Amino acid sequence: MKHILLIIALSALLFSCQNQQSPQNTHLNDFPYLEYDINRIQQGFSQGEFTIEELTQAYLDRIDKIDKDGPGLNSIIFVNPNALETARKLDAELKEGKSRGPLHGIPVVLKDNIDTYDMPTTAGSRALRNSYPPEDSYITKKLREAGCVIIAKANLSEWANFRGELSSSGWSGLGGQTHNPYDLTRNPCGSSSGSGVAVSANLTVLAIGTETNGSIVCPSTSNGVVGIKPTVGLLSRSGIIPISFTQDTPGPMARTLTDAVICLGVMTGIDSADSKTLDGSNKGYSDYTQFLKEDALEGKRIGLFKAPFGVNYKVDSLTMSVVRLFKEEGAEVIEIDNILAEQTGYHSFQLMLFEYKDGLNKYFESLGPEVPIKSVEELIEFNKKDSIELRYYNQKYLVMASEKGGLDSDEYLTALEKARLGSQKNGIDRVMDELTLDAIIAPTGSPAWKTDWTNGDSYVLGSSSPAAIAGYPNITIPMGFIEGLPVGISIFGRAWSEPKLIEIAYSFEQRSKVRIAPEFKNANY
């Protein structure tokens, strides 16, 4: 145990030494609520240290100071004009002795593909810059009912990074480029880039992202935060701009697993507008904190997914230090070379194209007559005429989607079935059955790359596809730093196995605790 903790401590020390704040940056983390978690904030409310309005104002001020001015992280696309009014109402409730639960008064940022009645929902597209949805999404309603103060909408990779080739994660035509707070020359990864940056830079306590394949776990690893990509169907997708009905899901992002788990439970529920939620009618929980167990590694059988290895030896080394920790805590670790059946990724891409066209057209229809874009074809034409939208990359995936048929076509039904079988029965389920596994772990990704609008993203490695294509849960936790940049470990498994994954993730987090607040290296202002 001692030697693994020393390795992790040295990793954190390496980060600290290589990112000494320059004099111009020393004030950026001079924030009274820096790294506060939900429990600490609730303690502050109960003891009268600060009010919800004061807390909300502080986060809004920090957004102005850090995101819009100062380093210019550019993670926020809209600030909620009603945030302070909401905070005052929630303060009044507390004075009357009424609390809605652990999220009462907690600031939350939503990715800007999640509907809110009081702010535009744009997917980062200039075509939707003035699009106010008629009502909140299902999960937005759940968060408001729980007492959250939705303070802002987060920038994102436009259309959730499924528009065209050579895109730069974190860039949108409406919001511009989001920057990584650990090093502003580095990329935040996508597509929930703004959500990951906002949480990491202490612009909010919680953020909600969405994932089709990697869009929660990648920005979480690149920005040194926790991300939970739940089983598809645990959280409703109604009121969220879609890519894939089969793979899309929202999920919480936070600085600690505890905060993410609290948020996860609040958002669960059966939604008649999303048939996928019916699949988990008896499999979800409204409170996942009961699974935050520190000593859950003993006796667990963990698969180590080796496909991402051999690309970056520094990531390999850090991952193996985690493996040693797992073993020292009583887990058995078994190496796995492959999970997905052959061609599963191809079939997933094809079904995404079909579902993208169908889902976008239905979403546009739901917005009413005021929104000028009524179809994927009209969106394509808008982008062609706009001066900014196609400046850095094309819209090939939109065009490919527009050329697909309906969801009753043989091509779609074949892709859907082969992707399902290749990722589930002949994928994760097969591997876990054969080896009697409780979960699978793998490095979430590589350290953040340099943002490059000419060549686009430089993904080096990743492990999101098996769980994403299957629609199964995946949790990423910070595991250390490489030359000052955070890297996470992913823990994934069967459908509806969130309780077991939370146990394993929490056991690891409590022994490592490697997160360090970003220090805004290369902030030129």
Side-chain angles (χ1 to χ4, degrees), residues 500-520:
K500 187 171 291 187
L501 301 185
I502 289 168
E503 289 180 358
I504 294 168
Y506 189 69
S507 293
F508 168 68
E509 182 193 48
Q510 295 308 297
R511 284 156 180 76
S512 56
K513 293 186 177 180
V514 297
R515 174 172 161 82
I516 300 173
E519 297 178 340
F520 311 99

Side-chain angles (χ1 to χ4, degrees), residues 256-273:
T256 69
L257 181 62
T258 299
D259 283 3
V261 164
I262 292 171
C263 186
L264 178 67
V266 163
M267 293 189 291
T268 62
I270 306 303
D271 178 13
S272 60

Side-chain angles (χ1 to χ4, degrees), residues 150-441:
I150 297 174
I151 60 173
K153 302 290 283 293
N155 198 11
L156 68 161
S157 308
E158 187 170 324
W159 296 109
N161 226 1
F162 200 59
R163 194 193 78 178
E165 300 168 303
L166 300 182
S167 66
S168 171
S169 287
W171 183 90
S172 70
L174 188 59
Q177 179 66 54
T178 302
H179 304 287
N180 191 304
Y182 286 93
D183 181 341
L184 273 74
T185 68
R186 300 277 174 169
N187 196 271
C189 200
S191 66
S192 306
S193 45
S195 300
V197 171
V199 167
S200 185
N202 285 266
L203 306 180
T204 182
V205 179
L206 295 169
I208 308 302
T210 66
E211 175 162 330
T212 307
N213 190 338
S215 288
I216 288 175
V217 297
C218 188
S220 294
T221 188
S222 292
N223 294 286
V225 300
V226 175
I228 301 179
K229 198 284 293 187
T231 304
V232 172
L234 182 63
L235 305 184
S236 169
R237 292 87 50 80
S238 64
I240 297 177
I241 298 176
I243 292 178
S244 169
F245 179 79
T246 300
Q247 294 180 204
D248 288 351
T249 180
M253 302 166 76
R255 291 183 291 273
T256 69
L257 181 62
T258 299
D259 283 3
V261 164
I262 292 171
C263 186
L264 178 67
V266 163
M267 293 189 291
T268 62
I270 306 303
D271 178 13
S272 60
D274 184 354
S275 60
K276 284 286 187 182
T277 63
L278 301 176
D279 296 340
S281 57
N282 297 313
K283 299 171 184 174
Y285 296 82
S286 60
D287 180 7
Y288 283 89
T289 61
Q290 60 187 298
F291 305 109
L292 295 170
K293 301 176 182 179
E294 289 193 28
D295 300 314
L297 289 172
E298 177 71 34
K300 291 289 193 301
R301 287 177 57 85
I302 309 293
L304 174 62
F305 183 36
K306 294 297 295 291
F309 280 65
V311 178
N312 185 317
Y313 75 89
K314 298 176 183 179
V315 175
D316 295 351
S317 178
L318 195 57
T319 304
M320 292 311 297
S321 71
V322 174
V323 170
R324 288 192 291 274
L325 184 151
F326 273 53
K327 290 181 177 179
E328 290 180 358
E329 293 300 321
E332 185 178 0
V333 180
I334 302 96
E335 294 187 0
I336 302 169
D337 291 326
N338 189 35
I339 296 176
L340 296 176
E342 189 175 355
Q343 293 292 302
T344 300
Y346 169 80
H347 297 303
S348 169
F349 180 71
Q350 295 303 313
L351 77 86
M352 286 166 60
L353 292 172
F354 277 96
E355 293 177 347
Y356 196 33
K357 176 183 178 180
D358 180 77
L360 278 184
N361 285 341
K362 289 178 178 175
Y363 180 81
F364 293 144
E365 183 181 353
S366 75
L367 296 175
E370 294 80 12
V371 176
I373 303 299
K374 300 295 190 297
S375 67
V376 171
E377 288 78 12
E378 289 185 8
L379 174 60
I380 291 169
E381 291 305 311
F382 175 92
N383 290 337
K384 288 178 180 178
K385 298 173 183 177
D386 189 80
S387 61
I388 292 175
E389 286 291 351
L390 301 182
R391 178 178 296 179
Y392 299 116
Y393 69 108
N394 63 27
Q395 53 181 339
K396 181 176 180 179
Y397 303 146
L398 279 175
V399 173
M400 292 174 70
S402 73
E403 295 170 347
K404 292 296 186 183
L407 300 189
D408 57 352
S409 71
D410 289 340
E411 183 185 357
Y412 168 70
L413 295 173
T414 297
L416 177 64
E417 181 67 4
K418 289 187 175 181
R420 184 184 66 82
L421 287 174
S423 61
Q424 297 179 359
K425 181 179 179 181
N426 299 324
I428 291 178
D429 294 337
R430 171 188 58 81
V431 169
M432 296 189 72
D433 285 343
E434 289 176 354
L435 300 175
T436 319
L437 299 178
D438 293 291
I440 300 170
I441 62 172

Side-chain angles (χ1 to χ4, degrees), residues 134-154:
E135 62 179 0
D136 284 338
S137 72
Y138 181 89
I139 63 165
T140 302
K141 292 176 183 177
K142 296 281 283 187
L143 291 167
R144 292 195 205 268
E145 290 168 0
C148 292
V149 182
I150 297 174
I151 60 173
K153 302 290 283 293

Side-chain angles (χ1 to χ4, degrees), residues 46 89-101 104:
S46 65
K89 290 179 179 178
L90 291 168
D91 272 327
E93 291 182 14
L94 284 185
K95 288 181 181 179
E96 296 173 357
K98 300 176 183 177
S99 173
R100 304 189 189 191
H104 190 109

